[in-house]
């Protein structure tokens, strides 16, 4: 971190600030700039909040030098991370395709959809048992019964299962029973939940928050990693903008931003990003072209009757068609399905 002092900063102010930082274990390199003094702060500044220094007497400006995130940072881990999700690698050359219904509704709905997405080439079954609904009166998910149905579907199809967690109290239960734990957009900054998920080694699918910047998203990954779990997969699912035609605005440039900044795998959710089933095919192809390591697509065996997110859900036949197009495109971007 670099601290630029005001031209009128007094010697006492400079010395007091230097002494305070030294007492916190930092080394101070003092430089005489043009008309002002510049202090280089050397040491582990991760726990210092740069904005705290702005109110110190004599301080003009702060320039952070080191990155606020370390474990998720590509600078300290140049190779791409590949995360083992119940036997399916996420982050390698092979695209990971998560598919399934927004909500687990009953045995027939889940198993029928699971068999069909599996046959079309999906490799991880995704279904919600605990649903973060905007309205408290909307279907909230089958909860533990939904987890049991997911376990049955895994048994029947052989696909690993991924489902969303909402409460830190359920981390142990999810750790025992599922292969990938999803953190939804609404919980991206639920820091208690993230820290608790750091206690497991289970892969965590961390969705980007509704209004989160790339840097905030990576800091949330850092929470999980700093607490001890390196197995984080990022998921771009669209962000809130002024545009209302689509449910969200799919930020595909974030895929490249994350790839540049971090070694973690990143997948794209074209279903929540658009909210429109007819857009999912093109946005899936675009996501893979943009460098995504995989996709998460909502598929329902009867979308008009879905209890949640029917408008953005593909039928199994539509999903199979998307997979066909992805097969044709994957080699062009050096991917396999
Ligand atoms: C979901 O995956 O069904 C979901 C609620 O997604 P998001 O958290 O991205 O809104
Ligand atoms: Mn959904």
């Amino acid at each position: 971190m670099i601290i630029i002092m005001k031209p009128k900063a007094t010697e006492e102010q400079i010395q007091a600030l230097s002494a305070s930082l030294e007492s916190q274990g930092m080394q101070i390199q003092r430089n005489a700039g043009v008309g002002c003094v510049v202090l280089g702060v050397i040491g582990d500044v991760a726990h210092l909040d740069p904005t705290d220094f702005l109110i110190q007497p004599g301080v003009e400006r702060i320039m952070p030098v080191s990155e606020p995130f370390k474990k998720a940072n590509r600078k300290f881990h140049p190779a791409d991370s590949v995360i083992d999700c119940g036997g399916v690698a996420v982050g390698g050359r092979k695209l990971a395709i998560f598919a399934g219904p927004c909500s687990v509704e009953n045995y027939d709905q889940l198993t029928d959809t699971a068999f069909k997405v599996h046959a079309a080439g999906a490799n991880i079954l995704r279904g919600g048992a605990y649903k973060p609904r905007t309205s408290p009166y909307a279907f909230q998910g089958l909860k533990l019964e939904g987890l049991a149905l997911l376990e049955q579907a895994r048994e029947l199809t052989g696909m690993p299962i991924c489902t969303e967690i909402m409460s830190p109290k359920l981390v142990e239960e999810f750790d025992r029973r599922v292969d990938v734990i999803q953190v939804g957009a609404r919980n991206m900054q639920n820091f208690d939940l993230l820290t608790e998920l750091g206690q497991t080694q289970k892969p965590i699918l961390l969705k980007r928050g509704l209004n989160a910047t790339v840097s905030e998203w990576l800091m949330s990954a850092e929470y999980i990693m700093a607490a001890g779990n390196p197995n984080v997969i990022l998921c771009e699912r669209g962000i809130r903008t002024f545009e209302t035609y689509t449910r969200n605005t799919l930020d595909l440039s974030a895929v490249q931003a994350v790839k540049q900044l971090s070694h973690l795998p990143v997948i794209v959710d074209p279903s929540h990003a658009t909210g429109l089933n007819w857009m999912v095919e093109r946005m899936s192809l675009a996501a893979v072209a943009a460098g995504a390591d995989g996709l998460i697509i909502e598929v329902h065996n009867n979308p008009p009757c879905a209890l949640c997110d029917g408008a953005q859900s593909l039928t199994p036949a539509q999903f199979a068609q998307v997979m066909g197009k992805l097969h044709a495109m994957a080699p062009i971007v050096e991917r396999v399905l």
Side-chain angles (χ1 to χ4, degrees):
M1 184 166 71
I2 291 167
I3 302 177
I4 300 160
M5 303 301 291
K6 287 185 173 146
K8 287 193 180 146
T10 63
E11 186 56 30
E12 287 71 37
Q13 288 171 338
I14 297 167
Q15 298 229 351
L17 182 57
S18 304
S20 149
L21 283 162
E22 277 164 353
S23 74
Q24 294 176 65
M26 306 295 146
Q27 277 182 350
I28 305 299
Q29 210 172 59
R30 179 172 169 157
N31 307 290
V34 183
C36 66
V37 167
V38 175
L39 301 176
V41 183
I42 301 158
D44 182 9
V45 295
H47 63 282
L48 300 178
D49 181 348
T51 55
D52 287 350
F53 292 95
L54 287 174
I55 52 164
Q56 300 300 321
V59 172
E60 171 84 33
R61 213 150 41 92
I62 309 292
M63 288 167 59
V65 173
S66 57
E67 310 272 355
F69 62 106
K70 310 266 183 244
K71 293 185 189 293
N73 201 316
R74 195 181 276 284
K75 273 191 194 150
F76 312 117
H77 186 302
D80 285 340
S81 279
V82 179
I83 316 264
D84 176 9
C85 297
V88 173
V90 180
R93 203 165 156 243
K94 190 167 157 58
L95 293 169
I97 309 294
F98 295 65
C102 180
S103 310
V104 175
E105 297 170 10
N106 55 58
Y107 178 88
D108 288 342
Q109 171 249 13
L110 184 65
T111 51
D112 186 31
T113 309
F115 275 120
K116 288 174 174 160
V117 295
H118 185 50
N123 32 34
I124 298 179
L125 176 65
R126 207 294 308 235
Y130 290 81
K131 295 305 304 176
R133 302 305 299 275
T134 302
S135 164
Y137 308 115
F139 175 58
Q140 304 286 310
L142 295 181
K143 304 189 171 150
L144 289 176
E145 190 193 335
L147 283 190
L149 291 173
L150 282 163
E151 287 173 313
Q152 282 181 323
R154 171 175 58 198
E155 191 68 30
L156 290 168
T157 61
M159 270 191 291
I161 53 177
C162 169
T163 195
E164 176 166 354
I165 194 164
M166 300 208 297
S167 164
K169 292 189 198 122
L170 286 172
V171 169
E172 244 175 64
E173 180 94 27
F174 274 56
D175 190 23
R176 259 188 297 111
R177 300 179 62 178
V178 312
D179 302 291
V180 182
I181 304 177
Q182 174 179 327
V183 175
R186 289 154 193 82
N187 274 311
M188 188 204 83
Q189 286 189 317
N190 180 341
F191 299 119
D192 283 350
L193 178 61
L194 302 179
T195 302
E196 199 58 37
L197 289 166
Q199 308 302 309
T200 78
Q201 291 299 297
K202 196 65 79 178
I204 309 298
L205 180 69
L206 179 64
K207 289 194 149 196
R208 182 179 182 182
L210 310 177
N211 301 302
T213 63
V214 165
S215 145
E216 287 163 342
W217 186 20
L218 289 171
M219 286 309 283
S220 289
E222 191 76 13
Y223 257 90
I224 300 169
M225 299 173 88
N229 185 353
N231 301 312
V232 179
I233 301 161
L234 298 162
C235 176
E236 160 62 37
R237 46 77 73 205
I239 47 173
R240 283 265 168 94
T241 67
F242 55 82
E243 183 55 71
T244 54
Y245 188 85
T246 45
R247 183 174 178 180
N248 292 291
T249 297
L250 178 56
D251 181 10
L252 285 183
S253 62
V255 173
Q256 280 300 300
V258 161
K259 287 263 163 212
Q260 172 84 1
L261 294 166
S262 176
H263 53 88
L264 297 174
V266 54
I267 68 167
V268 167
D269 173 349
S271 308
H272 292 88
T274 62
L276 301 165
N277 60 3
W278 59 269
M279 276 200 192
V280 169
E281 178 177 300
R282 287 295 172 139
M283 292 305 107
S284 298
L285 294 170
V288 171
D293 295 301
L295 297 163
I296 176 164
I297 298 179
E298 283 192 343
V299 183
H300 193 285
N301 64 342
N302 186 8
C305 294
L307 294 181
C308 183
D309 288 350
Q312 66 194 36
S313 299
L314 301 186
T315 61
Q318 288 166 332
F319 174 71
Q321 189 179 309
V322 174
M323 291 300 287
K325 297 257 168 91
L326 285 169
H327 263 290
M329 202 191 77
I332 301 169
V333 287
E334 290 164 6
R335 295 284 192 171
V336 287
L337 260 182

